[in-house]
Amino acid sequence: MRNVLWLLGSALLATHACGVAAAQEPALFGEPFPLSRVANTSGGSDFRPVLKTDGQGNWVAVWYSWDSLGGAIGGDNDILVARSTDDGATWTPPAALNTNAGSDSGHDYRPQMATDGQGTWIALWYSFDSLAGSIGTDADV
């Protein structure tokens, strides 16, 4: 899993670990693929993915990453997000969730998220960023 966010790989391994035989049951998952489209070239590792659905075909994945998205954001840990509107068949390219990802210098970690199932999504994480000096550099949510 190093340098890549494997959404379906973890689920596929978990299915086989539970003893589901492919010959007896139809396959629950397709081939694993990296959610990050630059997984083969990125220098940043991805950690702690969180996946949620609204039950209407929309899925959102968030995780923290060292990936600078090709220099578009800083080299510190930032929160990345990708969306699917077709039940996970296709995904948007990863993007920074926090709007200050290009200028912050404090690391961001362990995102969590929720939805009301009606289009509102909420994410939170803890960060060591000082928000341009407006707060301290200890961990804050």
Side-chain angles (χ1 to χ4, degrees):
M1 276 211 248
R2 190 167 180 203
N3 292 334
V4 66
L5 176 63
W6 292 98
L7 284 179
L8 296 181
S10 296
L12 183 62
L13 292 174
T15 299
H16 289 302
C18 293
V20 177
Q24 298 170 346
E25 299 285 332
L28 298 175
F29 299 98
E31 290 294 315
F33 63 91
L35 189 57
S36 172
R37 295 181 183 177
V38 294
N40 61 339
T41 60
S42 74
S45 295
D46 302 316
F47 301 96
R48 302 243 180 196
V50 175
L51 181 65
K52 298 287 182 181
T53 182
D54 63 2
Q56 299 176 36
N58 299 301
W59 291 81
V60 176
V62 294
W63 65 97
Y64 69 92
S65 178
W66 282 95
D67 190 349
S68 69
L69 299 180
I73 59 176
D76 61 319
N77 275 346
D78 286 302
I79 307 302
L80 300 184
V81 60
R83 291 182 300 116
S84 173
T85 57
D86 56 10
D87 273 324
T90 60
W91 291 85
T92 62
L97 179 65
N98 46 320
T99 57
N100 65 338
S103 62
D104 73 336
S105 59
H107 296 288
D108 303 306
Y109 295 102
R110 297 187 179 197
Q112 294 293 315
M113 124 180 97
T115 180
D116 65 359
Q118 298 178 10
T120 301
W121 297 81
I122 298 172
L124 62 93
W125 60 93
Y126 75 88
S127 178
F128 289 93
D129 188 48
S130 69
L131 297 178
S134 65
I135 61 172
T137 57
D138 62 324
D140 293 297
V141 175

